[in-house]
Amino acid sequence: MHSVALLTASYAKDIERFSLLSESIDTWLTGYTRHYVLVNDDDVPLFARFASDKRVIVPASRYLPKWLWALPPALQFISKRRVWLSLLSSPVHGWHIQQILKIAGVLNAPEQRVCILDSDNLFFREFDVGQYAGAEKTPLFVTRNEIDANHPLHVLWLRTVDQLLGIEDRAFPADDYVGNALVWDKEATRAMTDAIKTATGLSWALALCRKKKFSEYLLYGNFVVNSPKHLATHRVTEDSIAVSHWDDTRLDRQAIEAMMGAASPEQVALCIQSYSSTSIDDIRDVFRLNSRDRRGPSLSPDHIDEGSALETPRAR
């Protein structure tokens, strides 16, 4: 078995969702060594209360290149999103920084395998992530032929991936490697960044800052399947361990409960995308009711983190 870590790139506006994710991890997950939480430097004090012997809060500057620096919030008069400046590329925004941090976090983790968890995920069943992610072969989730040539955003991401990896022949429909609770292998990730340098002549982080329109999950998946060496160390699967709500439709409590109820026995995580504007209070209530039903009275109100009731606006 390979060692397994958890990794989340988050920020202040997602702290409610991260609070629920961390609570669900502490309630249901085993088999991992550390949960690394990568946040903007000025958000570290906000996330400090989540730190424990198994959860480490890491400032973004520890992993970002020195030529990239965050513009202080007080100086962001125009953009509503966080901005990072560089003399080597045009400004980079928070979502791209989170993708870069995920790659850097995997590269810097002592563990061989890393399960990447976005803040809008949570677990609702007992799950030994070490058995799943630390097995002989790394699970690689794929949705076959999901991306057709008329899908504007994903096609743009794939074109960027092809340029970053030096892939010349792209056929559609193409496979999609975007998902939730995905597992990356550190050796494969390092080889991926080496491939980016070979194809672009730039460091992987600078290449990503200059391209911007990319998906880290499409990048990893396409690298692996185009590398016979690394494909042999992965187990390609079309079965996700997460049941997900991807569109912008707002869900009520009944719909959230129905999602959990419809999950297969192998699905242990729930992801409701934050842009759906689904109430985090509703998600939390359904999660805690589900946890009490399955775990009994041990999950009392005293177990609940008071900070999870924070009300934070949703704007990047």
Side-chain angles (χ1 to χ4, degrees):
M1 300 297 294
H2 298 280
S3 58
V4 175
L6 311 178
L7 185 147
T8 302
S10 192
Y11 78 131
K13 301 295 178 63
D14 268 346
I15 198 166
E16 281 190 86
R17 287 173 168 77
F18 177 79
S19 178
L20 185 52
L21 168 65
S22 62
E23 183 180 333
S24 77
I25 290 171
D26 296 343
T27 302
W28 293 111
L29 254 63
T30 58
Y32 67 97
T33 56
R34 293 287 187 277
H35 181 195
Y36 301 105
V37 185
L38 283 52
V39 299
N40 304 337
D41 287 38
D42 50 348
D43 290 341
V44 169
L46 297 176
F47 282 81
R49 62 187 174 88
F50 298 107
S52 67
D53 58 342
K54 297 195 71 172
R55 182 168 292 116
V56 183
I57 311 302
V58 182
S61 62
R62 186 179 300 176
Y63 291 158
L64 293 176
K66 301 303 181 184
W67 44 261
L68 191 63
W69 67 94
L71 185 67
L75 299 180
Q76 296 185 183
F77 303 112
I78 300 176
S79 176
K80 294 182 179 180
R81 299 179 294 170
R82 290 301 305 272
V83 176
W84 276 254
L85 301 178
S86 169
L87 296 176
L88 302 178
S89 73
S90 57
V92 183
H93 293 103
W95 183 55
H96 300 105
I97 291 295
Q98 286 197 359
Q99 294 182 80
I100 292 170
L101 283 173
K102 291 175 190 178
I103 298 172
V106 174
L107 293 174
N108 284 278
E111 293 80 6
Q112 182 64 29
R113 305 276 175 77
V114 177
C115 181
I116 302 174
L117 302 168
D118 291 334
S119 295
D120 44 15
N121 286 263
L122 66 84
F123 290 87
F124 61 93
R125 287 176 177 161
E126 289 183 350
F127 184 54
D128 186 337
V129 68
Q131 291 289 332
Y132 173 74
E136 179 182 0
K137 292 191 175 185
T138 308
L140 178 65
F141 173 70
V142 62
T143 305
R144 298 290 189 190
N145 300 320
E146 180 71 9
I147 305 173
D148 62 45
N150 296 317
H151 196 302
L153 187 58
H154 282 68
V155 168
L156 177 59
W157 289 346
L158 277 179
R159 296 300 186 196
T160 302
V161 165
D162 292 347
Q163 294 168 11
L164 291 169
L165 297 176
I167 298 173
E168 296 181 357
D169 298 322
R170 166 64 60 187
F172 290 96
D175 293 341
D176 191 356
Y177 299 95
V178 176
N180 293 295
L182 302 182
V183 181
W184 286 12
D185 176 80
K186 184 164 69 173
E187 182 180 343
T189 304
R190 185 176 293 114
M192 177 186 76
T193 58
D194 290 343
I196 293 173
K197 183 175 182 179
T198 298
T200 66
L202 303 171
S203 69
W204 68 268
L206 179 54
L208 294 182
C209 285
R210 288 187 176 179
K211 288 294 185 184
K212 293 186 178 66
K213 302 296 184 181
F214 69 95
S215 160
E216 76 278 32
Y217 299 135
L218 288 179
L219 186 62
Y220 183 86
N222 278 275
F223 169 75
V224 169
V225 298
N226 282 278
S227 168
K229 173 184 175 182
H230 293 287
L231 181 58
T233 66
H234 286 69
R235 174 180 61 84
V236 180
T237 177
E238 298 181 51
D239 298 321
S240 174
I241 64 169
V243 54
S244 304
H245 176 68
W246 288 106
D247 61 43
D248 58 3
T249 305
R250 183 184 179 95
L251 302 181
D252 57 19
R253 284 192 55 166
Q254 185 176 3
I256 300 168
E257 292 171 352
M259 282 185 67
M260 284 190 179
S264 70
E266 293 75 27
Q267 290 177 310
V268 297
L270 172 73
C271 177
I272 298 175
Q273 294 295 321
S274 56
Y275 52 72
S276 72
S277 298
T278 298
S279 166
I280 186 64
D281 290 330
D282 285 347
I283 299 173
R284 184 183 293 114
D285 288 346
V286 173
F287 161 73
R288 288 178 176 159
L289 178 62
N290 179 78
S291 297
R292 286 194 296 270
D293 288 346
R294 292 176 179 271
R295 296 291 289 266
S298 60
L299 190 61
S300 65
D302 294 337
H303 176 85
I304 296 172
D305 184 356
E306 294 177 357
S308 64
L310 288 173
E311 293 187 0
T312 309
R314 289 288 303 159
R316 292 192 183 271

